[in-house]
Amino acid sequence: MNKDTNNDIAVNNDMENSLNNTNNLEKDNQKFLTVTMGCQMNVRDTEIMEQMLREMNYEATHEQEDADLILFNTCCIRETAENKAYGRISSLKKLKEKNPNLIIVVAGCMAQKDQEAVRKRVPHVDLVFGTHNLHQFPDLLQEFKRYHHVKTSIWEEDEGLVPVLPTKRKYSFSASVNIVYGCNNFCTYCIVPYVRGRERSRLPEDIIAEIKELVENGVKEVTLLGQNVNSYGKNFKEAFDFSDLLIEIDKIDGLERVRYMTSHPRDFSDKLIDTIAQSQKICEHFHLPIQSGSDHILKEMNRGYTREMYMNIVAKIRQRIPNASITTDIIVGFPGETDENFQETMELVNDVQYDSAFTFIFSPRSGTPAAKMEDQVPIDVKKERLQKLMELQNNSSLRINKALEGQILQVLVEKVSDHNSDMMSGRTRTNKIIIFPGDEGMIGKLIPVQVTRAQTWNLMGETV
Ligand code: 5AD
Ligand code: SF4
């Protein structure tokens, strides 16, 4: 639906005297800086917006004082994510006063959720547009620069699939590829279906063509992105599901590794486990968000599976792919979660023995059913539960990692370690970070590394 509301998209009304932009329009080599918050989808969207800026004669800078335009790609999955975004945007107020020509753009999920709120809370921002309007960014920016004002139609629902143009990726050897946009699951705590719209799958031929082109340009690893990759192809007339897509991608010559995120246990089929077990390139890493170990809470969350169904999937993965790593997402303090319900989560975590887990305190998101539920859990109880869960999980992570000591693993080298410039950082097929002595010439290469010491969050190693 393309609703022509002829609405103003986030214009700073104080701009009249601050932007004398005809000169600005002509100036070459304007500089941009981007700040991305949230998930891999946002990382990918930022790459697309950066490419749009490059095509408008902008170049990247890391110094905010040098920037002519600063773009925030925001997340609203939890309140903490929004507060972080507001904090960073607010901190630019001084810079904006010093340099009134600076254009501050707020894009992404927080902007999609409530543009008015963004404009009110950070009025020094110039342009605000949500995820559904991402592909209008160049027009919106040009319009803003010309008239200091934006009139546009706001897409309430991003139903279209916009063609993907070649974009500069974060790494030259690893790239993310969208396969399905949006989400139809409506888990009762989650804002994503409201800000990312309904599920839409890209055509297999478009995805394969994009990956082949990436591989021709040196990419070795692709990560297939979707809020729920397992529902890929559900809207196609002819049957073609996520497993079928993986089978085709696995055949691409020159590609070394395939990852995907995120999986939903509701749609995780035996066919998919078989496909992954038989493939060459699909990494042995399963990120399978459980959210809660209590059947009652899972039902309240509208997750569509029980603890038993989940444990069956885990058992099948372990049986077919014994060296697989399994990770998860867990929310504590969902409304109505009792001590017993939380205990069930602890037991499940103990039973599964996850390699690692992202653990979150439930954050009520206005507009979602869970925000209105009774029996909200007090914050100190939530914090206490999170602490216990993290301790339990950290013990498992360390125990599982310790079992890898001495093993030689294939590693894709990503970068110089953030903490020590003599060390390199890479990832195993099971998605573990490994740090080892090396040099920049290794970046983008697949090399064998022996694990010398295991820690909770990463492995230390030596090249062999
Ligand atoms: N509160 C806390 N965590 C949430 N997640 C999604 N919505 C919320 C919320 N309202 C978590 C889920 C999801 C991950 C990406 O974020 O665990 O899997
Ligand atoms: Fe949110 Fe559930 Fe969709 Fe994941 S599957 S994006 S948690 S609604």
Side-chain angles (χ1 to χ4, degrees):
M1 184 176 30
N2 189 342
K3 259 204 179 172
D4 195 359
T5 51
N6 212 18
N7 231 333
D8 286 359
I9 281 201
V11 183
N12 181 344
N13 293 326
D14 300 333
M15 292 304 293
E16 270 13 54
N17 51 9
S18 62
L19 264 183
N20 180 1
N21 253 334
T22 30
N23 290 339
N24 239 2
L25 271 180
E26 307 306 329
K27 196 177 129 194
D28 269 346
N29 295 335
Q30 299 219 72
K31 297 215 165 65
F32 71 83
L33 181 144
T34 58
V35 181
T36 307
M37 287 146 179
C39 65
Q40 289 290 316
M41 305 269 173
N42 270 12
V43 175
R44 179 73 193 113
D45 284 352
T46 300
E47 286 175 349
I48 293 168
M49 289 187 280
E50 285 180 346
Q51 187 64 25
M52 291 168 170
L53 285 165
R54 282 193 190 92
E55 275 159 29
M56 289 186 280
N57 260 339
Y58 278 86
E59 60 185 52
T61 176
H62 294 296
E63 303 300 329
Q64 64 182 35
E65 278 71 23
D66 283 351
D68 299 286
L69 182 148
I70 302 181
L71 182 147
F72 291 87
N73 195 5
T74 59
C75 169
C76 63
I77 195 126
R78 282 169 292 276
E79 201 187 345
T80 43
E82 290 200 57
N83 289 343
K84 199 165 130 195
Y86 278 123
R88 292 205 59 175
I89 300 164
S90 298
S91 72
L92 288 185
K93 205 164 170 214
K94 283 244 156 62
L95 189 65
K96 175 84 180 174
E97 279 164 10
K98 230 171 57 191
N99 172 15
N101 282 348
L102 170 68
I103 298 176
I104 305 178
V105 182
V106 178
C109 295
M110 194 173 89
Q112 184 65 44
K113 189 176 140 233
D114 194 346
Q115 291 197 29
E116 282 303 318
V118 175
R119 274 195 266 181
K120 270 207 195 108
R121 230 171 125 173
V122 275
H124 57 291
V125 155
D126 300 302
L127 192 58
V128 183
F129 59 90
T131 46
H132 298 348
N133 293 81
L134 182 144
H135 297 280
Q136 292 174 307
F137 176 37
D139 292 342
L140 296 175
L141 182 59
Q142 290 307 338
E143 208 174 332
F144 175 77
K145 288 172 104 178
R146 247 178 231 127
Y147 308 117
H148 314 167
H149 190 79
V150 178
K151 288 222 177 277
T152 186
S153 51
I154 295 179
W155 292 13
E156 298 239 312
E157 187 66 71
D158 183 0
E159 284 175 351
L161 289 177
V162 183
V164 178
L165 302 170
T167 26
K168 190 168 181 293
R169 282 9 204 222
K170 187 175 165 205
Y171 294 124
S172 57
F173 51 88
S174 179
S176 298
V177 175
N178 289 313
I179 63 164
V180 45
Y181 301 97
C183 181
N184 286 354
N185 283 305
F186 288 96
C187 300
T188 54
Y189 52 80
C190 188
I191 193 82
V192 168
Y194 305 91
V195 292
R196 288 275 177 183
R198 297 289 61 72
E199 234 167 58
R200 292 139 357 246
S201 297
R202 284 180 71 200
L203 291 173
E205 50 270 35
D206 292 347
I207 297 169
I208 306 277
E210 188 180 346
I211 299 176
K212 281 189 173 159
E213 195 181 329
L214 286 166
V215 171
E216 274 164 28
N217 288 305
V219 163
K220 292 186 177 150
E221 176 183 80
V222 290
T223 303
L224 310 175
L225 295 182
Q227 301 296 345
N228 174 12
V229 289
N230 304 88
S231 67
Y232 176 80
K234 274 191 180 165
N235 60 325
F236 293 161
K237 284 197 189 84
E238 279 170 38
F240 191 88
D241 64 14
F242 183 51
S243 302
D244 299 322
L245 180 68
L246 286 180
I247 290 167
E248 292 309 311
I249 294 174
D250 197 49
K251 292 179 194 157
I252 297 176
D253 283 339
L255 183 63
E256 301 276 355
R257 288 179 170 190
V258 181
R259 301 188 182 281
Y260 54 90
M261 65 191 317
T262 294
S263 285
H264 194 306
R266 168 158 45 197
D267 303 306
F268 210 94
S269 64
D270 288 1
K271 178 179 169 192
L272 182 57
I273 300 174
D274 285 338
T275 302
I276 296 171
Q278 284 158 21
S279 81
Q280 301 295 310
K281 297 171 181 161
I282 306 162
C283 290
E284 301 79 19
H285 169 223
F286 294 81
H287 184 67
L288 213 50
I290 176 75
Q291 312 297 3
S292 169
S294 149
D295 280 342
H296 168 66
I297 297 293
L298 287 172
K299 194 150 187 274
E300 292 292 302
M301 287 176 162
N302 188 32
R303 288 293 288 174
Y305 55 85
T306 61
R307 177 198 176 98
E308 191 187 351
M309 285 156 75
Y310 185 91
M311 291 308 283
N312 282 339
I313 300 172
V314 170
K316 275 180 204 144
I317 294 171
R318 297 250 193 255
Q319 191 216 340
R320 296 283 280 120
I321 311 163
N323 61 340
S325 66
I326 305 183
T327 58
T328 200
D329 293 346
I330 301 171
I331 298 174
V332 297
F334 185 82
E337 185 188 69
T338 61
D339 281 341
E340 289 72 37
N341 299 148
F342 174 64
Q343 215 37 54
E344 291 174 282
T345 299
M346 293 285 277
E347 279 161 22
L348 179 131
V349 167
N350 201 35
D351 290 349
V352 175
Q353 290 289 308
Y354 290 108
D355 289 76
S356 67
F358 294 103
T359 50
F360 307 106
I361 282 179
F362 168 71
S363 170
R365 306 281 63 210
S366 60
T368 63
K372 294 194 285 283
M373 287 179 184
E374 287 171 7
D375 292 333
Q376 296 285 332
V377 177
I379 185 67
D380 47 335
V381 177
K382 287 180 181 170
K383 283 186 178 164
E384 201 180 304
R385 288 181 185 165
L386 184 74
Q387 194 56 36
K388 284 187 184 156
L389 183 61
M390 279 166 55
E391 271 166 34
L392 176 69
Q393 179 51 48
N394 290 350
N395 289 339
S396 302
S397 298
L398 185 60
R399 201 169 35 246
I400 293 170
N401 285 349
K402 282 265 172 223
L404 296 173
E405 283 181 353
Q407 288 191 24
I408 296 170
L409 305 172
Q410 185 212 54
V411 171
L412 178 57
V413 187
E414 284 182 353
K415 57 179 185 174
V416 175
S417 162
D418 295 336
H419 307 291
N420 181 342
S421 58
D422 296 330
M423 307 287 268
M424 303 304 295
S425 171
R427 261 170 222 271
T428 65
R429 284 178 63 104
T430 52
N431 207 34
K432 292 186 193 273
I433 293 173
I434 184 158
I435 315 284
F436 54 95
D439 57 68
E440 283 188 42
M442 292 174 170
I443 293 177
K445 298 205 168 115
L446 284 156
I447 56 169
V449 179
Q450 183 161 38
V451 182
T452 50
R453 188 160 54 90
Q455 309 184 133
T456 307
W457 304 109
N458 57 30
L459 309 169
M460 304 303 291
E462 299 275 357
T463 49
V464 286

